[in-house]
Structures are given as C-alpha cells and as structure tokens.
C-alpha cells in the first residue's frame, strides 16, 4: 500500500484529470457538433464533480481545486503541509487531461479553455469568477454532500460559462491554457478564485460562530 501522502497525491491527480477530461471535453464537443449542448457542458462538470467526490473523498477529501485546499487549510480542516503537494497534484492532473484532449482534438482544445467573452469587461469577468468561486467554496465549507457540491458546480458553469468559462479553479484553467497557448488575462483565473475563496472563508468563520442570545427577560 502506498504511503498516505502518495495516495492523497494520486487521488487528487486522478480526480482533476477526470474533471478536466470530461468537463473540458464536453465543452470541445459542444463547439464542434450538436452532440453536447450548453446545458450538457454544465451538467458534465457538475455530475463529474459529484462522481469524483463520491469516489475519492474517503482518500484525499476530493479537493480538486487549489483554492479549495487553501480554504480548508485556513479553516483548520487540512494541514498547510498538504497545500503544496495537493496543488501540484491538481495542476499535474489538469495538464495530463489537457494533453489527452490535445492528442484527441488538437487545437480544438481552445474550446475547452476559460476566457473572458467578447463584450465582457475585465472587471466584470474578474467579479464573475470571484462570485462563482465564493459560492462554490462556501458550499464546500458548509457541507460534504457530493450532490450539493456538484449542483453548485453545475449552477456556476450554467451561469458563468458564456461569460468567463466559469473557471472557479486555477488548475482547471491552467491545463487547457498550456496546450491552447491562450494566456490572455490568465491571471484573472488565479486571483479572482483566490479572492472569492478568501471571502468565503471569512463569511464561513462569521457564520460558524454561535449566535449570542439575550439573557433574562430582554
């Protein structure tokens, strides 16, 4: 049996590989044919996350996202020692999945990248990514239910897909960008999710404190 750290590393790698291969793969298919609709792409991301969490959460917790790992560390649910190797595993998984998609579809992998749509300002794109990540991370912090988390990913992809690609995950954005060479405003897909995640941590801490009830007859 592999040591715990290596089992966690491998679980996160496989989990993110699955997420990118299915989710970004569905986005590519939706662009080249009518086989997958816009709704189908959102479902591909949401259902894949549900399945992955159900499959590997017992091993690594199924973070699947560097900012989720950071948020769990910040709330004391994960050791900061895990942050580096979880993030590396997630990025490697995204890159391997993107390499597989590139081998299958070539430059059509561009359809699976996250990018700010034409007509959407940089500020609005940043805001959308931050807000979607805020809701996702707050959901992860408040529940371990795979179906609920998957549903939030689905809703995020449904709402933000045509605006920013609904990244919500730096690893998810990095892998396809590496093979499509699309780096324009790529920093948004790191800083916006980080900002949304840190805000979610703050709100979680505030909500997690027990309410102070008035005493006596007040």
């Amino acid at each position: 049996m592999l040591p715990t750290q290596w089992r966690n590393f491998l679980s996160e790698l496989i989990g993110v590989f699955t997420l990118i291969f299915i989710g970004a793969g569905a986005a590519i298919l939706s662009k080249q044919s009518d086989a997958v609709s816009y709704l189908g792409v959102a479902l591909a991301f949401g259902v894949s996350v549900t399945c992955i969490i159900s499959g590997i959460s017992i091993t690594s917790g199924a973070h699947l996202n560097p900012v989720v790992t950071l948020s769990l560390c910040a709330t004391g649910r994960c050791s900061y020692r895990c942050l580096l190797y979880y993030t590396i595993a997630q990025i490697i998984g995204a890159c391997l999945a993107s390499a597989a998609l590139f081998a299958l579809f070539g430059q059509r992998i561009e359809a699976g990248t996250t990018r700010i749509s034409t007509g959407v300002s940089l500020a609005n794109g940043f805001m959308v990514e931050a807000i979607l990540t805020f809701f996702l991370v707050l959901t992860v912090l408040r529940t371990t239910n795979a179906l609920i988390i998957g549903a939030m990913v689905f809703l995020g992809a449904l709402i933000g897909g045509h605006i920013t690609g609904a990244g919500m995950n730096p690893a998810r954005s990095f892998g396809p960008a590496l093979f499509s060479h699309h780096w324009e405003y790529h920093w948004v897909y790191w800083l916006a999710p980080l900002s949304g995640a840190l805000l979610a941590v703050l709100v979680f801490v505030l909500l997690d404190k027990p309410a102070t009830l008035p005493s006596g007859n007040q």
Side-chain angles (χ1 to χ4, degrees):
M1 182 178 292
L2 290 171
T4 299
Q5 285 188 344
W6 282 107
R7 284 190 286 125
N8 292 345
F9 185 95
L10 187 59
S11 292
E12 289 295 309
L13 189 155
I14 292 172
V16 176
F17 182 99
T18 306
L19 171 64
I20 304 303
F21 189 80
I22 293 176
I28 295 168
L29 290 174
S30 74
K31 290 291 185 179
Q32 72 175 38
S33 71
D34 296 329
V36 181
S37 66
Y38 176 68
L39 179 62
V41 175
L43 278 171
F45 277 106
V47 173
S48 62
V49 165
T50 299
C51 295
I52 295 162
I53 292 174
S54 299
I56 69 169
S57 61
I58 194 171
T59 304
S60 67
H63 298 183
L64 309 177
N65 186 334
V67 298
V68 168
T69 301
L70 178 61
S71 301
L72 292 170
C73 290
T75 54
R77 301 189 186 188
C78 181
S79 168
Y80 278 103
R81 292 179 300 175
C82 300
L83 181 59
L84 179 60
Y85 74 84
Y86 267 54
T87 300
I88 291 173
Q90 291 155 2
I91 291 175
I92 291 175
C95 290
L96 290 177
S98 300
L101 291 173
F102 183 76
L104 289 171
F105 301 107
Q107 281 304 318
R108 285 174 291 177
I109 194 176
E110 289 183 3
T113 61
T114 52
R115 61 180 69 193
I116 298 174
S117 299
T118 303
V120 178
S121 70
L122 180 60
N124 285 344
F126 189 101
M127 181 175 64
V128 167
E129 281 295 309
I131 291 173
L132 293 179
T133 308
F134 167 81
F135 286 126
L136 173 61
V137 172
L138 188 60
T139 301
V140 171
L141 293 176
R142 298 293 291 184
T143 183
T144 57
N145 188 298
L147 188 59
I148 293 175
I149 296 171
M152 181 54 67
V153 171
F154 163 73
L155 292 173
L158 187 65
I159 295 168
H162 276 323
I163 304 174
T164 62
M168 302 179 283
N169 181 338
R172 179 265 180 272
S173 295
F174 181 81
L178 183 65
F179 286 87
S180 67
H181 307 293
H182 182 80
W183 299 108
E184 186 178 14
Y185 303 129
H186 183 71
W187 59 269
V188 169
Y189 294 95
W190 288 80
L191 291 186
L194 178 61
S195 300
L198 292 178
L199 181 59
V201 169
L202 176 61
V203 171
F204 171 78
V205 171
L206 292 174
L207 293 178
D208 206 41
K209 291 182 178 180
T212 302
L213 300 176
S215 58
N217 295 322
Q218 295 180 334

